[in-house]
Amino acid sequence: MSDLTLYRSHIDEFDPTKNGGGITDEQIESGVLGSLMPNLRPRIAEIGGERWVKFFIKANIDIVDLGIDIAKPTTCPTEEVYLALGTDSDTQSDLDPNVRLYGCFEIVSIDADTKKVVADQDVSAFVKAGDTLSLYFDDPTRIGGAIVKSVNANEVTLKSFEGSFASAKYAASSLFIERLDAGDAQGVWIKEVVEPLTKPMEIPPNEFVLSFWYDGR
């Protein structure tokens, strides 16, 4: 058994008071189409919009300092996904409109001297001063993380810099869970933003990569 197991919550994109809520017994399978995110409806692909999907992380061992990243952005250029911390029972209608979001971006350049990371987009909505910015190779394998000193649109300045960071392809603001005991579960939201006239990518399927890293206790 793996240290962590993912489970679905309830999904109802037509009623935010029923979307989310508690954990189900339906396990999420990596790489299985529709296991985490339901297929995008043609109408949303046409007019654009937002979707919220909640899932649960269940610990099978005692862990601390669980970091959760979107380690590689969605492969569809007209869709973005973000993470937000949930509870064991909240629904979409309970979410604060200004809920803190965590996301991923592709790196355009990195300057070791100035400790500056230049992103392919304005990241100020989901990268904040004091965050841990996790850096990833193209695989994507996590290289390590550094505390964010400041953010200015598409420029992120780090407080420290390791030489291996220079080879990073992607970077993500990390969502942290301080502690999760064996048998406990934590709710996490995914916010999907869809631009108008998006082409649903089913062949090949649209995908993104979630990364989980932690210490055993």
Side-chain angles (χ1 to χ4, degrees):
M1 178 183 291
S2 63
D3 295 347
L4 299 173
T5 309
L6 305 187
Y7 290 89
R8 294 182 76 166
S9 184
H10 304 277
I11 297 177
D12 190 334
E13 61 181 305
F14 301 103
D15 186 346
T17 67
K18 298 178 180 177
N19 190 37
I23 191 171
T24 72
D25 59 2
E26 188 173 354
Q27 189 171 328
I28 294 169
E29 298 181 68
S30 178
V32 176
L33 187 65
S35 185
L36 175 61
M37 303 286 292
N39 290 339
L40 189 65
R41 292 188 296 112
R43 181 60 174 162
I44 296 299
E46 183 176 72
I47 66 174
E50 296 179 359
R51 299 198 301 169
W52 290 86
V53 173
K54 186 181 181 184
F55 69 95
F56 280 84
I57 305 165
K58 187 174 182 179
N60 300 313
I61 62 169
D62 294 335
I63 61 176
V64 293
D65 298 327
L66 169 61
I68 311 169
D69 298 328
I70 299 174
K72 195 170 187 178
T74 171
T75 52
C76 180
T78 51
E79 296 180 29
E80 296 283 354
V81 289
Y82 307 94
L83 299 175
L85 188 63
T87 70
D88 61 357
S89 62
D90 61 346
T91 65
Q92 182 183 339
S93 61
D94 297 322
L95 289 174
D96 184 330
N98 298 313
V99 65
R100 174 64 210 272
L101 298 177
Y102 301 82
C104 178
F105 61 86
E106 186 172 346
I107 296 171
V108 174
S109 65
I110 299 182
D111 190 314
D113 294 328
T114 62
K115 304 181 180 65
K116 185 174 291 183
V117 181
V118 178
D120 64 338
Q121 58 183 289
D122 185 341
V123 300
S124 57
F126 59 89
V127 180
K128 308 292 183 182
D131 281 357
T132 292
L133 191 77
S134 292
L135 294 108
Y136 286 85
F137 291 124
D138 191 38
D139 332 16
T141 301
R142 187 175 186 268
I143 304 170
I147 303 300
V148 174
K149 181 178 181 181
S150 63
V151 182
N152 181 18
N154 70 327
E155 296 182 345
V156 180
T157 302
L158 304 175
K159 289 186 177 181
S160 60
F161 194 92
E162 296 290 341
S164 56
F165 290 174
S167 300
K169 176 70 172 178
Y170 303 107
S173 51
S174 297
L175 188 163
F176 274 104
I177 297 170
E178 184 175 329
R179 172 174 174 168
L180 204 58
D181 294 333
D184 289 346
Q186 173 68 56
V188 176
W189 287 94
I190 296 175
K191 179 184 181 180
E192 180 183 23
V193 180
V194 181
E195 293 183 13
L197 302 180
T198 289
K199 181 180 179 182
M201 294 178 64
E202 296 178 359
I203 303 177
N206 184 20
E207 64 179 8
F208 59 93
V209 176
L210 290 176
S211 173
F212 305 89
W213 45 280
Y214 52 89
D215 291 321
R217 182 169 58 84

